[in-house]
Amino acid sequence: MNDAASAPTPAPAPRRARVRAPELIGKGGWLNTGGKELSLADLRGRIAILDFWTFCCINCLHVLDELRELEEKHRDTVVIIGVHSPKFVHEAEHAAVVDAVERYQVHHPVLDDPELETWKQYAVRAWPTLVVIDPEGYIVAQHAGEGHAHAIARLVEELEAEHEAKGTLRRGDGPYVAPEPVAGDLRFPGKALLLPSGNLLVSDTTRHQLVELAADGESVVRRIGSGERGFAGDSFSEPQGLALLPDGRVVVADTVNHALRTFDPATGHVETVAGTGRQWWQGSPTSGPALEVDLSSPWDVAWWQGRVWIAMAGVHQLWAWDPEAGTVGVAAGTTNEGLLDGPAAEAWFAQPSGLAAAADRLWIADSETSALRYVEAAGDGHDGYVIKSAVGTGLFDFGHRDGEAAQALLQHPLGVTALPDGSVAVCDTYNHALRRYDPATGRVSTLATDLREPSDAVLVGEDIVVVESARHRLTRLRLPEEAVRVDAVPHRTQRAATEVAPGTLRLDVVFQAPSGQKLDTRYGPSTRLLVSSTPPELLADGEGAGTDLFRELALNPDVTEGVLHVSAMAASCDDDPANEYPACHVHQQDWGVPVRVTADGVSRLPLVLAGMDG
């Protein structure tokens, strides 16, 4: 048992337990290697960092960006290997993984592991997880979640020095082989907007630009942005959502820059109006002057009730920007990931990625819960807003099923469009379909299939123009009067449940401060643990928030299976008494752990935030 997670201020554990790294296997094969199959023997002499990711996961995309600097600085000693471990059925398709590697500009080898073979070998429990392997083939560290790049950089420098001295470090070019570039006017477009001129504006996400197309949806009128990833001037970084402001400007969700920008179609001027370019972390301000508050992966924007509402995918919330007041702040959500309706301040979301404004509702495509949800005024004499769900039940149920909304299924929708008759069209992204929900009848139907990862749609007259992101084009459809018949296909996330013993379950979040750092306790506890469950009845005791990274959970004897939702955070600072203002770092991760109660199950559940579980 690792006592590091059991004490309020854990001390660093003994350095580097010698655990041999399992082989890398996956039926999907290798990408970005020029067709070569890699093994651990090929990596001997190099420091290997395994990045267990899945392309639906916003936290995984954050880690891809965190690792870019490390990857460049240590390219002669470090090999990053992406291990793609799918959550959704669509993510197990090899072609979809190929698309994702290009879409998110992954510049290292990727193992496609559709059956989670390597995931199981390394006992991974969460996306994203990083595992560091030394030049002799031993695991020396594991990190779950975001915020670990600084710790891994420090560890890499120590491993370089150690193995250089031992003669076991091998420098040189890595196994990455860049794929051939592909031509075309658009590359993985994200969102679209109908301009007053009749032209269409599209976020050309992978090329870091906006593209104005003529009314035909094909002819390029102009490109906006340098085309290089950046934040200065008119540069963007993977832009997504677009919304028209009353003054004629377009507000842009500049996703990887963690900012809102505006584009003036009349002058071509681009301006930053919200965000600092830094990612929001727990403890940062949640409201204030718009240019002084950090944001986190804004994915879509919509003008509704006098403000720009923001689908803040990176922290599972809705925010709002008030252009007149020049302020930005949280509008709904707690940062907890899941599906929970109710007053806006108490609701849970899971990576909201699409917004559509109607007169009395703001519709939301809540992608990770495969849900269609909405915001409306509280009513009944109450102030504020409430969140309600129309379709979807939670993080682990998805599929393609029409009919009554209570039993209908979507799969990771990214876009939603309000239709003139009061219904809404849903870009059901991982089902490659356009769906419709009608509030008047409470039913879901399918309008079109054979779309490739549709991510947004806009009305143009009597037509609907769909952004087919993975076909790199806009597709114009006449809104059908009748639905398409499809076979119902329900799915659940394929991760095996952890078998736990009845009674008391010891939860340990393992955290060891990185070398040269300690927990920051100057202003009180520097750790946080939040536990809940689905169904709520699974836990008889132990839910809620606390500051210890351990918890005794009492399981309800009447409930035999469910999901434990665990959110952990730890802040560590440089351990240098001479430095009055040490650099500090936040480590955080959310886990959804399926569990099944059995007589011979385990009585302890370790979740590694950083370090090694002894």
Side-chain angles (χ1 to χ4, degrees):
M1 177 175 174
N2 189 321
D3 293 327
S6 308
T9 55
R15 286 298 306 277
R16 302 186 199 141
R18 302 283 282 179
V19 179
R20 177 66 72 178
E23 191 53 82
L24 304 176
I25 51 177
K27 288 193 174 179
W30 288 87
L31 306 175
N32 284 354
T33 63
K36 180 180 179 181
E37 300 282 320
L38 295 182
S39 68
L40 284 177
D42 297 318
L43 305 177
R44 191 62 58 85
R46 311 294 293 275
I47 301 162
I49 300 173
L50 306 186
D51 176 14
F52 290 86
W53 69 298
T54 189
F55 63 77
C56 72
C57 161
I58 190 66
N59 311 93
C60 299
L61 303 185
H62 289 167
V63 168
L64 284 175
D65 291 316
E66 287 179 6
L67 293 175
R68 293 186 197 279
E69 182 179 348
L70 175 73
E71 192 168 25
E72 178 61 33
K73 183 177 179 181
H74 297 276
R75 61 171 49 253
D76 66 333
T77 59
V78 170
V79 176
I80 295 176
I81 302 288
V83 182
H84 189 269
S85 311
K87 171 186 175 182
F88 290 99
V89 170
H90 170 58
E91 293 176 302
E93 298 175 13
H94 183 69
V97 180
V98 173
D99 283 346
V101 168
E102 181 190 349
R103 180 195 297 268
Y104 298 114
Q105 299 178 319
V106 180
H107 293 163
H108 50 249
V110 173
L111 174 63
D112 181 9
D113 183 19
E115 296 180 356
L116 304 180
E117 293 176 274
T118 296
W119 165 287
K120 295 170 188 173
Q121 288 292 317
Y122 281 81
V124 174
R125 294 184 182 273
W127 297 279
T129 291
L130 297 168
V131 176
V132 182
I133 303 172
D134 74 11
E136 295 179 287
Y138 291 94
I139 297 173
V140 293
Q142 181 172 325
H143 302 265
E146 304 178 50
H148 303 296
H150 68 283
I152 293 176
R154 177 73 173 262
L155 177 57
V156 163
E157 291 173 355
E158 293 177 0
L159 289 171
E160 284 177 340
E162 176 183 330
H163 288 273
E164 189 98 75
K166 290 174 65 175
T168 50
L169 185 70
R170 177 170 56 87
R171 295 182 181 270
D173 293 334
Y176 170 68
V177 178
E180 291 292 323
V182 181
D185 291 329
L186 299 173
R187 204 69 192 161
F188 298 105
K191 305 288 186 180
L193 174 69
L194 180 64
L195 295 171
S197 66
N199 288 350
L200 290 155
L201 189 66
V202 184
S203 54
D204 195 15
T205 304
T206 298
R207 292 198 174 129
H208 314 297
Q209 289 183 315
L210 310 180
V211 178
E212 184 177 345
L213 301 176
D216 61 10
E218 297 180 2
S219 306
V220 175
V221 175
R222 59 175 163 169
R223 294 182 176 276
I224 300 98
S226 66
E228 298 293 330
R229 186 189 297 271
F231 193 38
D234 64 354
S235 293
F236 298 95
S237 188
E238 298 183 30
Q240 286 282 350
L242 307 166
L244 191 66
L245 296 175
D247 62 9
R249 292 180 299 162
V250 175
V251 61
V252 182
D254 194 4
T255 304
V256 177
N257 278 327
H258 309 294
L260 298 189
R261 320 286 291 283
T262 55
F263 162 64
D264 188 337
T267 65
H269 180 63
V270 174
E271 181 182 2
T272 302
V273 294
T276 63
R278 298 183 301 271
Q279 183 183 340
W280 185 93
W281 290 95
Q282 290 286 352
S284 300
T286 56
S287 64
L291 291 171
E292 299 176 13
V293 176
D294 299 339
L295 309 181
S296 182
S297 295
W299 207 274
D300 203 7
V301 282
W303 177 259
W304 187 61
Q305 297 194 350
R307 296 186 292 172
V308 171
W309 289 67
I310 309 164
M312 201 71 78
V315 286
H316 316 300
Q317 290 180 310
L318 303 182
W319 288 43
W321 169 54
D322 185 334
E324 186 172 334
T327 56
V328 69
V330 174
T334 65
T335 75
N336 293 332
E337 184 179 12
L339 191 155
L340 181 66
D341 292 338
E346 301 172 13
W348 292 17
F349 299 94
Q351 213 168 300
S353 302
L355 299 174
D360 58 347
R361 289 180 177 176
L362 179 70
W363 293 96
I364 308 156
D366 200 28
S367 63
E368 281 292 289
T369 53
S370 297
L372 173 66
R373 307 175 73 185
Y374 58 92
V375 186
E376 67 179 7
D380 296 327
H382 295 91
D383 294 329
Y385 297 97
V386 294
I387 311 301
K388 297 181 180 180
S389 296
V391 183
T393 57
L395 284 166
F396 301 101
D397 293 293
F398 56 92
H400 192 154
R401 185 162 62 197
D402 289 332
E404 294 294 333
Q407 54 85 50
L409 295 172
L410 309 170
Q411 186 179 181
H412 198 80
L414 291 178
V416 59
T417 306
L419 300 179
D421 64 357
S423 67
V424 289
V426 180
C427 285
D428 193 7
T429 308
Y430 288 2
N431 281 326
H432 312 297
L434 188 68
R435 311 286 292 282
R436 176 176 179 261
Y437 168 68
D438 186 353
T441 64
R443 296 185 66 84
V444 175
S445 57
T446 297
L447 298 176
T449 57
D450 194 31
L451 301 166
R452 188 67 185 170
E453 292 192 17
S455 55
D456 197 20
V458 292
L459 288 173
V460 180
E462 296 182 354
D463 297 337
I464 188 165
V465 175
V466 180
V467 179
E468 279 197 89
S469 188
R471 283 200 178 114
H472 321 292
R473 71 186 188 191
L474 304 188
T475 298
R476 186 181 297 261
L477 305 172
R478 180 57 56 92
L479 273 173
E481 295 182 4
E482 295 185 6
V484 176
R485 292 187 62 86
V486 295
D487 293 329
V489 183
H491 297 293
R492 292 212 89 210
T493 296
Q494 57 182 307
R495 282 185 296 162
T498 298
E499 295 189 350
V500 298
T504 300
L505 177 66
R506 166 80 176 204
L507 172 66
D508 280 316
V509 174
V510 179
F511 178 77
Q512 295 154 5
S515 176
Q517 295 183 23
K518 64 179 181 179
L519 287 179
D520 177 21
T521 57
R522 293 171 298 167
Y523 308 107
S526 61
T527 55
R528 187 190 71 158
L529 180 63
L530 178 68
V531 180
S532 63
S533 65
T534 302
E537 296 78 20
L538 175 65
L539 288 178
D541 190 35
E543 67 175 352
T547 58
D548 291 327
L549 291 181
F550 62 92
R551 188 80 56 86
E552 298 285 345
L553 305 179
L555 301 176
N556 185 339
D558 298 326
V559 181
T560 58
E561 63 180 333
V563 178
L564 290 175
H565 303 284
V566 181
S567 177
M569 184 273 288
S572 62
C573 296
D574 292 344
D575 188 10
D576 181 0
N579 186 353
E580 186 178 356
Y581 302 103
C584 296
H585 310 273
V586 175
H587 317 252
Q588 62 185 42
Q589 171 62 3
D590 297 329
W591 291 266
V593 183
V595 296
R596 182 180 300 113
V597 180
T598 62
D600 55 354
V602 298
S603 59
R604 175 178 177 262
L605 177 62
L607 300 176
V608 178
L609 179 60
M612 297 283 286
D613 179 35

